[in-house]
Amino acid sequence: MADSREKIIHVCGLFNLQGEFRSFEVINSGHINTTYRVYFWRDGELKDYILQKVNTYVFRDPVAVMANISSVTEFIRAKIKATGVTAKRNVLHYSTTDCGEYYTIVGEGEFWRCCRYIDDSVSFEQTDDLKIIEESGKAFGEFQTYLSDFPVEKLSIVIPHFHNTVRRYDALRDAIGENAAGRVDEVKDLIEGYLALEELATRSYRLQKAGVLPLRVTHNDTKTSNVLFDAKTREHLSVIDLDTVMPGLVAFDFGDAIRVAASTVDEDEKDLSKVALDLQKYEAFTRGFVGVLGDMLTEDEKKTLALGAVAMTAECGVRFLTDYINGDKYFRIHYPDQNLARARCHLTLTEDMVKKLDEMQSIVNKYCE
Ligand code: GN1
Ligand code: MG
């Protein structure tokens, strides 16, 4: 349920937002936190902010989340400023409270934070515009390059084993064993489908464990809606949603982005005949991402980039299926069977990627040359 206007005004006050409160709206795109856009009237213009209530069931240590976010944003801001340009629209700015904290706790442990809305920016859930897709590839590639020398020991692991695909499959097996919501029989075909993909889906993770693929500082939630673009030029400005910045694989940032950016459909499309990996969109994202990162990647990273898309799409699908079997405890749903729809759609998408994997890898190779 949305929070009341009075509550929103109260929380804004704790962050000392200046001007006169005008209105707020709920932003429904995320599955975890509760997000509002709030509007203030100041100096003859509307100023807007993103106010968020962090989901503390998912983020058990939200103070550590904010510590990660502030150190990463400060690091990026310093890098941008060192090039002599303003970082105002290229990295998030969080507001502080009177105590100088980037968060405030309200009532019974509600954890709130607030950041400036970047002026004249837009985001997209899904798009067919190849230029925007390429720009999103550049945005996530750039994010990695900014953080390539970030002191990794400064980061807390806010969700342990977040992209541990092996454990995500184990969690599915545990959920099947428990059958908490009595839904296992109904999803037998899906379980079979995902188990058939397990070897391939977990390969990237196992390659990292074997020391073949390096850990870097990665974003870990690279869906299209997590990039802001200039409203007019449609060039990328900044990546957002830094909750899960942690050590990870480049292939996972690439792959999780492909899961959304190169899909022909929304995450929960029910008409499976429409679900596919669009190779043109895939190429556009790859051109942007590899174009920026190119030389930074090891030969093994280059060779296994496309595999990351199979890993992340299967993993996300396994997580949706697990949550459905558990009775929808983790991801926010907007209608009863949404996690099931998401899981079905992701299985079909992963299967299509597996068919196209060689072609996908050739496209990576082309931009690595
Ligand atoms: C969640 O809430 P949102 O949309 O930023 C999830 C991601 C999933 C994504 C699927 C912390 O992200 O891992 O890929 O849903 N975030 C967390 O759309 O679990
Ligand atoms: Mg997120």
Side-chain angles (χ1 to χ4, degrees), residues 32-33 59 219 221 223 226 241 243-244:
I32 307 291
N33 298 321
F59 295 104
H219 181 282
D221 187 6
K223 52 211 255 185
N226 283 339
D241 187 0
D243 289 337
T244 50

Side-chain angles (χ1 to χ4, degrees), residues 30-32 59 162 221 223 241 259 267 316 319 330-331:
H31 303 340
I32 307 291
F59 295 104
F162 189 58
D221 187 6
K223 52 211 255 185
D241 187 0
R259 170 181 80 80
E267 222 175 44
C316 199
R319 293 173 64 199
Y330 188 95
F331 294 105

Side-chain angles (χ1 to χ4, degrees), residues 233-259:
T233 65
R234 302 288 159 104
E235 277 161 13
H236 69 282
L237 293 172
S238 176
V239 306
I240 57 172
D241 187 0
L242 307 176
D243 289 337
T244 50
V245 173
M246 286 183 284
L249 295 183
V250 175
F252 286 172
D253 269 7
F254 176 78
D256 197 38
I258 291 302
R259 170 181 80 80

Side-chain angles (χ1 to χ4, degrees), residues 253-276:
D253 269 7
F254 176 78
D256 197 38
I258 291 302
R259 170 181 80 80
V260 179
S263 169
T264 49
V265 293
D266 287 339
E267 222 175 44
D268 62 341
E269 174 61 50
K270 290 198 194 56
D271 181 350
L272 297 180
S273 69
K274 291 186 184 156
V275 181

Side-chain angles (χ1 to χ4, degrees), residues 68 147-157 215-218 246-248:
N68 279 359
L147 296 178
S148 58
D149 55 345
F150 182 88
V152 67
E153 66 284 356
K154 270 195 165 181
L155 286 179
S156 298
I157 306 298
L215 282 176
R216 299 180 184 276
V217 177
T218 49
M246 286 183 284

